[in-house]
Amino acid sequence: MKEPVRYSSVLQDFIHPLLNEKDTDEIFLSKFKVAEVIWNYCIAKEFHLPVFAELEKIITQQNDLDREMKLVFDTFVESKETYFKQYKNFITKVEYRIKADGSKSLYVESVHPSEFLKNNFMSKLGSKEKPAVVRVQTEERAKELLEICEQNGWQVIVGIEPEKEENTSDVRKLQKGLGLVSKFQMPPSKNAPCTCGSGKQYKRCCGK
């Protein structure tokens, strides 16, 4: 019987050229989040998944802001099509987990595009027929959620009830269903200050 593909290993092989042994846990995970978005862009494009437009928008915005990101994106899209074409699953979760013995491992969940479409991850909730329903305590928070939903084309009903606990689970489900990271970030560019707080440029510190 054919063994199931371990997408945690596949994704590590995919992102390996970008990794550095001096990466902090934060930078390590941020690189895998970038790999997740680029990977899912390729899968969504190949299988015409409904999330493709959203992924393309996020990547285009990031590429416009950072020329280095455009080079990284082009390199990894080519790598996916050349060396990882046989792997077809859409990545739905990437986490960095600490085991009982203190060791760390990458945890990845994925789903085949046919299952993605079958389960209809994002076309039901947030549609006109089934709008997301959320409850918040302030008008400011309501405006924030309305803006998020408008940007993503989601239909939403927002109730303001100051005395009740906030409930935004429907919006969180929509965000999770996209299989996207809420903040799409590349590790800092070579000339940017290092995120470790040393005050040095990234290329002269953790980016060596």
Side-chain angles (χ1 to χ4, degrees), residues 123-136:
S123 62
K124 289 184 179 179
L125 184 62
S127 65
K128 289 183 179 180
E129 294 75 21
K130 188 179 179 182
V133 179
V134 300
R135 182 177 64 238
V136 297

Side-chain angles (χ1 to χ4, degrees), residues 20-207:
N20 188 301
E21 62 181 11
K22 293 186 178 181
D23 286 343
T24 63
D25 288 351
E26 181 182 359
I27 291 177
F28 179 85
L29 186 57
S30 75
K31 289 180 178 181
F32 274 97
K33 291 289 188 178
V34 169
E36 175 191 3
V37 173
I38 296 175
W39 181 281
N40 283 344
Y41 169 90
C42 295
I43 297 296
K45 182 178 181 180
E46 180 178 355
F47 289 90
H48 307 288
L49 299 181
V51 296
F52 175 72
E54 182 65 22
L55 285 163
E56 186 174 42
K57 181 174 74 174
I58 289 173
I59 289 172
T60 299
Q61 289 173 347
Q62 192 68 25
N63 287 347
D64 289 343
L65 291 173
D66 188 343
R67 188 174 298 177
E68 265 189 48
M69 183 61 221
K70 177 67 166 63
L71 295 174
V72 170
F73 171 74
D74 290 343
T75 298
F76 279 93
V77 167
E78 183 178 354
S79 175
K80 172 66 178 74
E81 295 175 351
T82 304
Y83 304 109
F84 298 87
K85 194 172 183 63
Q86 70 271 36
Y87 302 109
K88 305 293 187 180
N89 276 20
F90 188 93
I91 306 298
T92 57
K93 180 183 287 187
V94 175
E95 291 180 353
Y96 204 26
R97 294 186 172 180
I98 300 177
K99 298 180 180 178
D101 61 2
S103 62
K104 300 173 183 177
S105 65
L106 188 72
Y107 174 77
V108 174
E109 289 183 4
S110 66
V111 63
H112 191 272
S114 60
E115 286 299 311
F116 186 97
L117 292 169
K118 179 181 176 181
N119 289 313
N120 216 0
F121 276 80
M122 62 174 286
S123 62
K124 289 184 179 179
L125 184 62
S127 65
K128 289 183 179 180
E129 294 75 21
K130 188 179 179 182
V133 179
V134 300
R135 182 177 64 238
V136 297
Q137 296 177 324
T138 66
E139 288 188 13
E140 183 179 356
R141 180 65 169 146
K143 289 179 181 177
E144 180 184 340
L145 287 170
L146 284 168
E147 184 177 344
I148 290 172
C149 291
E150 184 179 351
Q151 288 174 350
N152 289 283
W154 299 329
Q155 300 296 314
V156 63
I157 297 173
V158 181
I160 302 175
E161 300 182 54
E163 303 302 321
K164 293 186 178 181
E165 184 179 355
E166 178 176 293
N167 183 346
T168 59
S169 59
D170 276 0
V171 171
R172 292 198 303 273
K173 286 177 184 176
L174 285 165
Q175 290 173 323
K176 182 179 179 180
L178 287 172
L180 305 176
V181 293
S182 58
K183 292 183 179 179
F184 178 49
Q185 297 177 335
M186 268 298 291
S189 64
K190 292 293 184 180
N191 294 318
C194 191
T195 56
C196 73
S198 66
K200 299 178 181 179
Q201 288 180 315
Y202 179 67
K203 67 182 178 182
R204 302 187 185 282
C205 192
C206 295

